[in-house]
Amino acid sequence: MENQTVASSVQDWVQAVISPSSPLGLILAVLLVLTIPIALHRSVFKASGLTVLPSILLLGPSGSGKTALLTLFERGTNAATHTSQSPIAVECSLPVGTTAASDKYRSTYDPTNQTHKKFLLIDTPGHGKLRHHALQNITNPKNLKGIIFLVDAATMSAGNGGLRQTADYLHDVLLVLQKRMTGGKAMKALKEVSVLIAANKMDLFTALPAALVKKSLESEITKVRASRSKGLLDSGIGMGEDVDDDKDDWLGETGSSEFKFSQMEEFDITVEVAGGNVTGGDGPGVDKWWKWVSERL
Ligand SMILES: Nc1nc2c(ncn2[C@@H]2O[C@H](COP(=O)(O)OP(=O)(O)O)[C@@H](O)[C@H]2O)c(=O)[nH]1
Ligand SMILES: [Mg+2]
């Protein structure tokens, strides 16, 4: 008796759903038609790993403002920075009004343009002992689109050590990138590399203008390069039959007396310098850097 009522009520229900005049059946059908493709699309994309975001790597000496920039790009606001012990990555979106280079030819009405282009920004520790982490990240590119090398333009004036430290680090970064041409397969995956030297803290009156930051870094890298090769000679490494190996550790054009960033173009590395400031009210802000990022995505 009990069973029969249950069975008949189920039958009633099914009939109500299936009958063409029922709104419930219609709603159910519409829901299924709408959700199945979305669910399929999601699972397929997850499985194929197509969702790996383009990434931008942040490098630069300690105190140059990497963590501050990361926070700004992520949230659009300034927040207290935390000391970066290990690389951390955050997901960012291009701000309103910027178009990623890869979306340049899309129609204005293309829905892709309505969602902002996303990318991954990877912070690294600038502290000397932890730098190998940062350099490892360059040689392990997962959809790497560019490198932002942040420098503190206010400590660039000669004499206070900031310039030498920065030039040392930048020299090593560029040398790792240059060596990818002669290196293993993993490195070759990185074909062209774009490096943005972001001259930060332009809000401070002691900051050098971007053009001067570029010049100072070029002449300081010239010195770093010379002293590195002299070090090799002194230790006897570059002597005798291993002269060719020594040449691999020379940054830029072989035999050039002065280092210029343009010498990196031969190795498919473009270097640009642009000024800006993460904090501080007056200053150019980070517009130029956003533009640079949008051109790589
Ligand atoms: N005046 C000024 N200070 C900045 C700017 N950007 C960062 N700073 C400060 O520089 C210090 C170091 O920043 P942080 O992001 O921790 O550097 P990191 O070591 O490269 O991660 C912090 O006190 C920041 O507030 C800027 O554009 N102007
Ligand atoms: Mg930091």
Side-chain angles (χ1 to χ4, degrees):
M1 186 66 188
E2 181 94 339
N3 273 347
Q4 222 167 356
T5 29
V6 169
S8 75
S9 75
V10 165
Q11 205 172 20
D12 281 354
W13 190 80
V14 168
Q15 227 156 34
V17 166
I18 292 175
S19 99
S21 59
S22 114
L24 192 63
L26 193 69
I27 289 166
L28 210 73
V30 166
L31 269 179
L32 280 178
V33 164
L34 288 180
T35 51
I36 286 175
I38 293 173
L40 255 173
H41 174 271
R42 288 203 162 195
S43 66
V44 167
F45 262 70
K46 277 242 173 68
S48 66
L50 281 176
T51 46
V52 173
L53 289 171
S55 51
I56 303 277
L57 186 63
L58 274 181
L59 297 175
S62 215
S64 55
K66 295 179 297 297
T67 308
L69 181 66
L70 185 93
T71 314
L72 176 74
F73 271 19
E74 185 189 19
R75 294 181 212 163
T77 54
N78 292 311
T81 70
H82 43 89
T83 319
S84 23
Q85 287 305 325
S86 59
I88 59 158
V90 295
E91 207 177 294
C92 307
S93 309
L94 279 183
V96 187
T98 39
T99 315
S102 55
D103 288 341
K104 199 164 48 177
Y105 301 111
R106 282 186 200 275
S107 146
T108 328
Y109 305 106
D110 191 315
T112 322
N113 278 344
Q114 253 96 73
T115 59
H116 300 296
K117 191 85 178 183
K118 284 205 164 81
F119 64 98
L120 211 63
L121 194 63
I122 305 164
D123 192 10
T124 56
H127 186 67
K129 283 179 195 150
L130 298 167
R131 256 178 214 171
H132 62 276
H133 266 307
L135 292 173
Q136 241 162 30
N137 262 310
I138 311 181
T139 57
N140 180 21
K142 279 201 195 77
N143 211 0
L144 186 68
K145 295 295 184 188
I147 294 170
I148 300 182
F149 190 92
L150 224 66
V151 307
D152 180 345
T155 59
M156 281 284 105
S157 36
N160 59 11
L163 178 59
R164 185 53 179 252
Q165 270 189 356
T166 308
D168 247 346
Y169 192 5
L170 185 54
H171 171 275
D172 291 355
V173 167
L174 292 176
L175 191 61
V176 168
L177 291 175
Q178 175 181 315
K179 279 187 171 177
R180 85 198 190 283
M181 305 287 276
T182 52
K185 264 190 219 143
M187 302 284 268
K188 290 237 173 69
L190 251 179
K191 285 213 175 63
E192 286 157 76
V193 190
S194 301
V195 179
L196 171 70
I197 297 175
N200 193 21
K201 309 199 183 178
M202 285 298 168
D203 57 305
L204 301 176
F205 77 99
T206 44
L208 290 189
L212 255 164
V213 167
K214 182 180 180 185
K215 263 199 169 157
S216 317
L217 282 173
E218 282 178 335
S219 68
E220 198 65 24
I221 288 177
T222 302
K223 290 182 203 162
V224 171
R225 189 171 70 167
S227 77
R228 293 285 171 92
S229 73
K230 185 171 174 295
L232 285 177
L233 286 174
D234 286 349
S235 63
I237 293 170
M239 308 280 271
E241 284 157 38
D242 290 350
V243 190
D244 282 352
D245 287 353
D246 181 31
K247 221 165 57 187
D248 285 345
D249 281 334
W250 180 264
L251 184 69
E253 190 191 326
T254 323
S256 58
S257 60
E258 279 183 43
F259 174 78
K260 295 273 179 260
F261 287 126
S262 56
Q263 290 170 11
M264 301 314 296
E265 275 159 30
E266 196 195 319
F267 305 99
D268 283 337
I269 302 166
T270 55
V271 183
E272 279 175 58
V273 185
N277 61 299
V278 178
T279 63
D282 29 49
V286 293
D287 290 357
K288 282 185 187 157
W289 305 343
W290 268 128
K291 188 166 173 289
W292 183 89
V293 169
S294 71
E295 285 164 3
R296 318 287 135 197
L297 301 180

